[in-house]
Amino acid sequence: MLHIDSISKTFDGKVILDNVNLKIGNSELKILKGKNGSGKTTFLKIIASLMSYNNGKIFFNNIENCKKTTLRKNIFYLGDVPGFYKFLSPLQNIELGLSLRKSDVPKEKIILTLKKFELSNYINKPVGIFSKGMLQRLKFAYAFLLDWKVGLLDEPLNGLDDEGVKLFNECIKIWIENKQSVLLVTHNTDYITNSNYDILYLKNKKISS
Amino acid sequence: MDLLKLINKELRAEILNKEIIITMLAFGLSIIVIISFTSNLSKQIIEAYAPGLFWLMMLFVTVLGVHRSYAYEKEFNAIDLILTTPIDRGLIFIAKSLSGFIFITLMQILIIFPYFIFLSIDINIDFFPLILSTLLINLALMFVSNLISGISMRARISEILFPVILFPLISPLIIAATNITNSIINQAPYIEWQVWIYLLISILIVFGLSGYALFDFILEE
């Protein structure tokens, strides 16, 4: 489904990624590990067409260098920063994101999803008052409502309590069943050791298994 | 349709925060009061300098408003919510420019009468060309400042970079705006100031089109 072919990226003359390759098929979850500053977030942002790159090709469904809008529609990036407007409520943030993605999701379904992620008491409160864990839950609720093919999740487990991790695992299970694929960046060693998924390492500017 | 959604978001942000209009208004009114109480100039001199003073005030007000508009995009990296959607990013530029245009026009409506009263300027002019040219200048102010603000947004020193790049680039617009307003107030024949109108239209086209076309690349990290 997604094929990253020899992607390279330099910042101010410093090579961050050097001919990085990766293939992600349907219903796959891959975990990407690497030291701080190794270029994991940069790599995810390049795939999500949020960041430019110097060399290489991105194939989506065997189409070389798809339109950015096609990639942004099918590849969903969930960053390690909140990515929501502080002054808007969870409902308003999600409605804005969904409407710009032209996803016609009824308000009732959004409210039900927010309840599922235990945010029902905060539906109309501004997101600015949320804790880190609540923001992570809100991100999952948003990702849960969207229609995407490949999800790029950058440190989604940060700030989550046990209940939150459980909810996250449920999401992963549902996404994989729905033939969606996930590339997950995490430093959470417990999560990595307890999972059976492919683990990749970003080391010396390249990805290895 | 996406444009309307984005404008709605900008207006909603201002209705909830009330930061842009209040900052603009407080600054504008303060300037008027300071000038009216500290200058001891004749009426003729005041009237001759009034348009320049007005547009200089609008320039600083624009800097405050546009800077605030991009500051809340950076808080929580909120702009990612929009950047991760498959919309035409040029529309973000247009939405920010149009909402800024609404804010500055609203501010001018609130400020114009205190401006005339405090500076004791006689209002005996043809309002139609004055209003029309002011609206076009407002739009041009927003196109230029939003393009520069978008460019400087990702920089670590965006607070310094924004005015440093903006002021030299926007100077021709402020000069044109001052000359147009001055000529209308003095009822000068159009032929004498049409060159400034051409300059204004050129700025609108160049910055409007380049902002729309380049915003996708500008917002890319």
Side-chain angles (χ1 to χ4, degrees):
Chain A
M1 182 166 33
L2 181 70
H3 178 196
I4 310 299
D5 184 21
S6 306
I7 289 284
S8 298
K9 172 77 181 172
T10 52
F11 272 127
D12 299 328
K14 190 184 169 197
V15 180
I16 306 294
L17 301 169
D18 183 20
N19 290 313
V20 174
N21 297 297
L22 178 71
K23 277 185 181 173
I24 302 177
N26 284 328
S27 300
E28 279 188 0
L29 186 142
K30 291 180 190 282
I31 297 173
L32 181 62
K33 274 195 78 179
K35 283 184 181 173
N36 293 334
S38 59
K40 301 183 295 297
T41 300
T42 302
F43 184 56
L44 295 195
K45 284 189 171 180
I46 286 171
I47 304 174
S49 41
L50 290 171
M51 197 180 266
S52 60
Y53 51 96
N54 302 99
N55 295 309
K57 289 170 188 167
I58 298 178
F59 294 83
F60 183 74
N61 284 341
N62 294 323
I63 299 167
E64 185 185 327
N65 291 336
C66 279
K67 274 185 178 175
K68 282 179 185 173
T69 47
T70 310
L71 288 176
R72 286 176 195 145
K73 187 167 174 53
N74 290 291
I75 300 175
F76 177 63
Y77 171 74
L78 206 64
D80 57 344
V81 287
F84 293 111
Y85 288 96
K86 278 171 103 169
F87 49 84
L88 295 181
S89 69
L91 188 63
Q92 289 166 332
N93 268 298
I94 289 178
E95 278 180 333
L96 175 64
L98 287 171
S99 68
L100 292 174
R101 282 183 158 262
K102 306 205 173 37
S103 296
D104 196 15
V105 179
K107 195 173 181 175
E108 294 72 34
K109 193 178 172 188
I110 303 174
I111 293 171
L112 272 176
T113 308
L114 287 170
K115 277 184 183 165
K116 179 184 165 71
F117 287 88
E118 295 169 10
L119 293 168
S120 52
N121 293 334
Y122 300 90
I123 283 174
N124 293 312
K125 298 269 189 331
V127 162
I129 63 161
F130 279 28
S131 71
K132 175 104 182 158
M134 288 162 77
L135 286 167
Q136 295 290 57
R137 283 167 188 251
L138 178 57
K139 286 190 210 170
F140 300 151
Y142 180 47
F144 200 76
L145 287 160
L146 293 175
D147 181 24
W148 44 263
K149 300 282 183 280
V150 180
L152 308 169
L153 313 184
D154 196 356
E155 295 289 357
L157 300 161
N158 277 1
L160 276 186
D161 54 17
D162 291 344
E163 196 63 33
V165 175
K166 212 173 138 188
L167 275 167
F168 175 70
N169 283 328
E170 276 178 37
C171 287
I172 293 281
K173 203 177 154 195
I174 292 167
W175 288 331
I176 299 296
E177 280 172 7
N178 286 344
K179 297 204 181 312
Q180 292 166 290
S181 302
V182 174
L183 178 61
L184 169 70
V185 166
T186 183
H187 289 290
N188 189 316
T189 319
D190 288 345
Y191 189 82
I192 294 167
T193 43
N194 292 330
S195 61
N196 308 316
Y197 304 112
D198 281 355
I199 299 176
L200 307 166
Y201 298 89
L202 185 53
K203 202 176 171 185
N204 298 328
K205 297 150 196 150
K206 289 185 188 295
I207 286 183
S208 56
S209 308
Chain B
M1 200 60 186
D2 285 343
L3 179 64
L4 291 179
K5 288 171 196 164
L6 291 170
I7 293 175
N8 181 39
K9 188 267 292 176
E10 297 291 333
L11 298 181
R12 189 185 282 182
E14 185 49 24
I15 290 164
L16 290 171
N17 294 327
K18 295 177 189 69
E19 287 178 10
I20 297 173
I21 291 266
I22 287 179
T23 315
M24 284 175 154
L25 202 58
F27 182 81
L29 286 173
S30 307
I31 295 286
I32 294 171
V33 171
I34 290 166
I35 291 166
S36 68
F37 282 101
T38 54
S39 66
N40 193 17
L41 301 169
S42 71
K43 202 172 169 225
Q44 283 82 357
I45 295 173
I46 289 267
E47 280 182 359
Y49 282 100
L53 201 63
F54 180 78
W55 286 113
L56 208 56
M57 191 167 76
M58 287 306 125
L59 169 63
F60 291 120
V61 159
T62 301
V63 170
L64 288 173
V66 172
H67 182 261
R68 188 61 216 136
S69 158
Y70 283 79
Y72 72 69
E73 298 291 355
K74 288 203 283 186
E75 290 166 1
F76 269 26
N77 246 29
I79 199 164
D80 273 5
L81 185 70
I82 293 174
L83 296 184
T84 51
T85 65
I87 59 157
D88 174 359
R89 287 182 178 178
L91 295 179
I92 301 172
F93 168 78
I94 301 290
K96 285 218 169 272
S97 299
L98 290 180
S99 57
F101 168 80
I102 294 169
F103 299 145
I104 198 168
T105 307
L106 267 177
M107 209 279 291
Q108 286 168 347
I109 292 168
L110 295 171
I111 223 166
I112 198 71
F113 290 106
Y115 189 75
F116 281 126
I117 292 164
F118 274 86
L119 297 184
S120 309
I121 301 167
D122 287 336
I123 314 165
N124 184 23
I125 43 169
D126 186 1
F127 274 98
F128 179 70
L130 187 68
I131 291 170
L132 187 66
S133 62
T134 303
L135 292 178
L136 288 175
I137 295 164
N138 287 350
L139 192 58
L141 266 175
M142 286 303 147
F143 278 161
V144 180
S145 53
N146 273 285
L147 179 61
I148 305 303
S149 194
I151 290 169
S152 60
M153 189 173 81
R154 297 282 188 202
R156 262 172 262 162
I157 48 162
S158 62
E159 288 82 4
I160 302 165
L161 203 59
F162 174 49
V164 166
I165 305 177
L166 179 71
F167 289 151
L169 272 174
I170 214 164
S171 298
L173 175 61
I174 298 299
I175 294 166
T178 303
N179 282 308
I180 291 167
T181 310
N182 219 350
S183 304
I184 294 171
I185 288 174
N186 292 321
Q187 295 172 346
Y190 174 68
I191 192 96
E192 282 180 18
W193 49 279
Q194 65 177 357
V195 63
W196 300 112
I197 290 287
Y198 294 153
L199 179 62
L200 171 62
I201 291 167
S202 308
I203 290 171
L204 274 168
I205 293 170
V206 170
F207 281 87
L209 287 179
S210 52
Y212 175 75
L214 296 174
F215 231 54
D216 193 2
F217 303 101
I218 287 169
L219 292 180
E220 207 167 59
E221 287 180 55

